[in-house]
């Protein structure tokens, strides 16, 4: 029984390593004829990602990726930029893969992630040696350097707002710049991930404080419509490496002086890993035997993609040349895309509109109706109506909106400026009222004239009567005189 127990404990890791090599060999030979080209975004964040002294991409993520590429026949093109630009490039499809990404609720809406964590990290605050910063309250009123677009930036904002501590944010294009801003006293403190800070703080004569927050797990990310085989393959390698003592993964962490405990070599756990790996190898061999069918399917997918691209170009042509204003927005009311007619209606340039929301164009008098219209659109998928809007010049005009929900988080509104039409309609409805008012005024004027004539007639008659009396009196007096 004892010798059998030793056999399982020692033999299982050996079998695991053997199967690992078989599986990686199989992975490397599936699709060997066509080398996969992968565009990867990197930025300066040593020791995880950086450009070394010889000008070559380096770091933990880069070494792991290069090892996968060597075995799996990938050709990697690295694109060095800032962190914010890397995120933008991944979102617009300029790159295929971005390492060292923490998952946030916002990023879940834009990217897909591999499932096996690569590293765990947290945010650390660094200051000059003469600064007394021991708690978050000490940063109240201070200048804090943060990497623009980073999780440190968004998380710190939320944290300080929650405590009600005001501070001045100094944005930086890289962690190196953030530390240097503190070194030259443009900022009082800098926030970076602990890997970068511990490795570089001393070069800027900064010390690590006891303030830590925002523990994160780091992954590889792709665009939602990107090649999911990239992250699936990465997960497969990480599964093997993280469950194999002294694997390439652990030697890479040791190379960059990071401590990482070796995986538990419990026989039962390793036995389960062996079973999983055997299943993976069997699947890969089956996949290899179906390579012809896969290539045919791949061609069909590419044909469909080309067709879809052509359809998108056709729609874009309709979109750009449409005489009707077309506004594409998300469910938070932010404009995503607009056509030239939309710009003509509002007076704004395309980029100006993309920096606005629907509410920004609605005057106070139309807010309630616009909110009802928008809620109906989001909940029911369709809404139409008319409402006022404010053009760039500040003029209040009116438009008709016929909007539909085209995706879960995407809406499109077809808009026409009906200001002149509305004025004509108002004038048309006002004609009977105007005529009635004029008739009433003329009637009143006529009645006044009649009243004046009646009065004149009465005065005239009375005058005639008095004249007649006067003539009679004169005649009487004359007769009397003749008698005498």
């Amino acid at each position: 029984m004892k010798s059998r127990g030793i056999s399982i404990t020692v033999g299982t890791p050996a079998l695991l390593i053997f199967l690992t090599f078989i599986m990686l060999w199989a992975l490397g030979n599936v699709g060997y004829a066509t080398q996969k080209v992968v565009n990867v975004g990197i930025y300066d964040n040593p020791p995880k990602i950086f450009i070394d002294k010889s000008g070559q991409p380096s770091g933990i993520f880069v070494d792991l990726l290069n090892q996968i590429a060597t075995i799996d026949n990938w050709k990697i093109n690295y694109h060095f930029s800032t962190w914010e630009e890397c995120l933008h490039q991944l979102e617009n499809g300029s790159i295929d893969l971005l390492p060292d990404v923490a998952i946030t609720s916002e990023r879940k809406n834009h990217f897909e992630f591999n499932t096996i964590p690569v590293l765990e990290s947290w945010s650390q605050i660094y200051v000059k040696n003469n600064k007394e910063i021991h708690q978050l309250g000490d940063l109240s009123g201070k200048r804090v350097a943060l990497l623009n677009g980073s999780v440190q930036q968004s998380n710190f904002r939320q944290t300080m707002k929650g405590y009600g501590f005001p501070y001045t944010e100094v944005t930086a294009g890289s962690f190196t710049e953030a530390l240097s801003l503190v070194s030259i006293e443009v900022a009082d403190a800098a926030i970076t991930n602990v890997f970068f800070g511990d490795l570089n703080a001393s070069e800027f004569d900064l010390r690590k404080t006891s303030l830590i927050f925002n523990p994160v797990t780091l992954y590889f990310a792709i665009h939602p419509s990107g090649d999911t085989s990239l992250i699936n393959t990465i997960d497969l390698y990480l599964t093997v490496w993280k469950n194999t003592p002294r694997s390439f993964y652990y030697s890479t962490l040791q190379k960059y002086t990071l401590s990482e405990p070796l995986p538990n070599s419990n026989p039962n756990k390793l036995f389960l890993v062996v079973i999983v790996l055997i299943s993976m190898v069997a699947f890969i061999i089956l996949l290899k035997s179906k390579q012809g069918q896969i290539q045919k399917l791949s061609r069909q997918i590419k044909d469909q993609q080309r067709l879809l691209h052509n359809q998108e170009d056709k729609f874009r042509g309709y979109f750009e040349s449409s005489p009707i204003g077309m506004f594409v927005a998300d469910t938070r009311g932010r404009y995503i895309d607009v056509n030239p007619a939309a710009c003509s209606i509002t007076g704004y340039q395309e980029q100006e509109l993309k920096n606005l929301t629907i509410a920004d164009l609605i005057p106070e008098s139309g807010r309630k109706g616009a909110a009802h219209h928008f809620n109906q659109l989001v909940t029911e998928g369709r809404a139409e109506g008319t409402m006022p809007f404010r053009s760039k010049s500040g003029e209040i005009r009116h438009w008709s909106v016929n909007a539909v929900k085209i995706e879960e988080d995407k809406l499109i509104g077809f808009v026409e400026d009906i200001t002149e039409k509305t004025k004509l309609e108002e004038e048309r409805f006002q004609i009977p009222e105007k005529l009635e008012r004029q008739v009433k005024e003329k009637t009143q004027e006529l009645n006044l004239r009649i009243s004046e004539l009646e009065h004149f007639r009465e005065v005239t008659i009375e005058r005639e009567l008095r004249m007649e009396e006067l003539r009679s009196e004169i005649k009487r007096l004359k007769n009397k005189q003749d008698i005498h």
Side-chain angles (χ1 to χ4, degrees):
M1 290 295 290
K2 185 177 181 181
S3 61
R4 192 156 134 202
I6 294 173
S7 171
I8 293 173
T9 304
V10 176
T12 302
L15 178 59
L16 178 62
I17 294 170
F18 173 71
L19 286 172
T20 298
F21 279 109
I22 291 177
M23 185 189 68
L24 297 181
W25 173 85
L27 279 169
N29 283 276
V30 172
Y32 180 79
T34 56
Q35 188 178 46
K36 184 191 291 289
V37 178
V38 185
N39 292 297
V40 179
I42 59 172
Y43 68 109
D44 186 40
N45 190 7
K48 295 182 290 179
I49 311 174
F50 61 98
I51 300 295
D52 63 20
K53 293 180 180 179
S54 64
Q56 295 300 313
S58 189
I60 298 167
F61 280 89
V62 172
D63 285 10
L64 295 177
L65 204 53
N66 285 343
Q67 182 70 1
I68 295 173
T70 300
I71 300 172
D72 217 51
N73 195 31
W74 293 357
K75 177 177 175 14
I76 297 183
N77 297 323
Y78 287 104
H79 301 267
F80 185 81
S81 187
T82 63
W83 166 247
E84 193 171 21
E85 182 59 24
C86 282
L87 284 175
H88 179 68
Q89 289 174 350
L90 185 63
E91 191 167 8
N92 66 27
S94 300
I95 57 175
D96 305 308
L97 188 68
L98 182 60
D100 190 26
V101 185
I103 299 177
T104 65
S105 56
E106 175 67 20
R107 290 174 186 169
K108 282 182 180 180
N109 296 328
H110 298 281
F111 310 123
E112 295 286 342
F113 299 85
N114 71 298
T115 56
I116 306 299
V118 184
L119 288 174
E120 292 185 354
S121 179
W122 60 87
S123 300
Q124 191 88 40
I125 298 177
Y126 298 85
V127 298
K128 289 184 73 70
N129 289 319
N130 60 354
K131 292 286 184 180
E132 294 297 325
I133 304 291
H134 302 291
Q135 55 188 0
L136 281 178
D138 295 334
L139 291 174
S140 181
K142 298 292 193 298
R143 301 161 299 173
V144 182
L146 292 152
L147 175 61
N148 199 27
S150 65
V151 292
Q152 287 86 7
Q153 184 185 49
S154 58
N155 189 274
F156 188 70
R157 283 177 181 172
Q158 185 176 354
T159 300
M160 293 295 277
K161 183 178 179 180
Y163 283 108
F165 295 147
Y167 72 100
T168 301
E169 184 175 298
V170 183
T171 57
S174 65
F175 285 137
T176 301
E177 183 182 345
L179 294 180
S180 67
L181 289 172
V182 178
S183 178
I184 61 176
E185 298 188 354
V186 172
D188 300 301
I191 301 178
T192 75
N193 66 71
V194 66
F195 296 141
F196 182 90
D198 285 359
L199 190 65
N200 296 280
S202 60
E203 294 183 17
F204 297 90
D205 194 27
L206 304 182
R207 67 175 177 84
K208 179 168 67 174
T209 70
S210 59
L211 295 175
I212 64 173
F213 64 96
N214 188 34
V216 293
T217 308
L218 304 173
Y219 299 85
F220 286 90
I222 64 170
H223 190 275
S225 62
D227 186 356
T228 55
S229 69
L230 295 175
I231 54 177
N232 291 338
T233 302
I234 290 170
D235 276 336
L236 197 56
Y237 278 89
L238 288 173
T239 300
V240 174
W241 284 339
K242 294 185 83 170
N243 286 282
T244 305
R246 293 172 293 279
S247 68
F248 181 79
Y249 174 82
Y250 294 104
S251 64
T252 300
L253 296 188
Q254 290 176 355
K255 172 183 174 182
Y256 292 97
T257 65
L258 294 175
S259 60
E260 181 76 15
L262 291 177
N264 187 355
S265 58
N266 181 283
N268 294 328
K269 181 180 178 182
L270 291 176
F271 180 73
L272 291 175
V273 174
V274 170
I275 297 300
V276 172
L277 290 177
I278 290 173
S279 301
M280 289 179 178
V281 171
F283 173 74
I284 291 168
I285 293 172
L286 176 63
L287 184 65
K288 206 174 171 187
S289 68
K290 301 291 185 181
Q291 188 170 356
Q293 297 178 21
I294 292 172
Q295 290 175 346
K296 181 180 179 181
L297 181 61
S298 178
R299 286 193 297 270
Q300 291 175 348
I301 292 173
K302 288 180 180 178
D303 289 340
Q304 291 295 324
Q305 287 175 336
R306 278 194 295 270
L307 179 62
L308 180 61
H309 183 69
N310 291 336
Q311 293 295 329
E312 288 176 350
D313 287 344
K314 187 181 293 186
F315 172 77
R316 174 55 62 176
Y318 296 152
F319 184 80
E320 295 292 339
S321 60
S322 172
I324 296 176
M326 299 172 71
F327 295 77
V328 181
D330 61 22
T331 50
R332 282 174 283 186
R334 300 178 302 186
Y335 289 122
I336 300 171
D337 201 2
V338 294
N339 71 344
C343 297
S344 177
I345 289 171
T346 61
Y348 288 97
Q349 298 295 322
E350 178 182 349
Q351 193 54 51
E352 289 177 322
L353 280 174
K354 288 181 180 179
N355 292 331
L356 299 176
T357 66
I358 295 173
D360 292 331
L361 299 183
I362 305 299
E364 189 66 33
S365 60
R367 291 284 174 86
K368 186 175 180 180
H372 175 74
H373 182 276
F374 189 77
N375 289 335
Q376 182 183 4
L377 174 59
V378 172
T379 56
E380 300 179 15
R382 188 178 187 90
E384 59 181 275
T386 61
M387 63 193 72
F389 73 96
R390 182 184 290 107
S391 68
K392 185 178 179 179
S393 65
E395 180 184 4
I396 303 299
R397 299 183 65 83
H398 290 80
W399 58 17
S400 68
V401 184
N402 195 330
V404 292
K405 190 175 185 180
I406 53 177
E407 293 180 15
E408 188 59 33
D409 189 39
K410 193 172 289 185
L411 320 166
I412 185 167
F414 301 90
V415 174
E416 287 186 272
D417 188 329
I418 59 169
T419 305
E420 303 307 324
K421 181 180 177 182
T422 302
K423 286 181 181 178
L424 290 174
E425 287 292 322
E426 288 176 354
E427 290 175 359
R428 185 171 67 85
F429 284 116
Q430 288 173 358
I431 288 175
E433 182 182 343
K434 185 176 180 181
L435 288 173
E436 183 180 351
R437 186 170 61 253
Q438 289 177 342
V439 168
K440 186 176 181 180
E441 289 174 354
K442 291 297 181 183
T443 301
Q444 289 177 345
E445 184 179 347
L446 182 60
N447 288 335
L448 180 62
R449 291 292 183 187
I450 291 172
S451 178
E452 289 176 349
L453 288 172
E454 287 288 338
H455 178 70
F456 180 76
R457 186 179 67 84
E458 290 175 0
V459 170
T460 302
I461 292 172
E462 184 179 355
R463 180 183 172 189
E464 287 296 324
L465 289 173
R466 290 182 66 83
M467 287 297 293
E468 184 63 31
E469 290 177 357
L470 183 59
R471 281 194 292 268
S472 297
E473 182 63 22
I474 290 172
K475 185 177 179 180
R476 186 183 67 76
L477 290 174
K478 188 176 178 182
N479 291 334
K480 185 178 180 182
Q481 186 177 5
D482 290 339
I483 294 174
H484 290 287

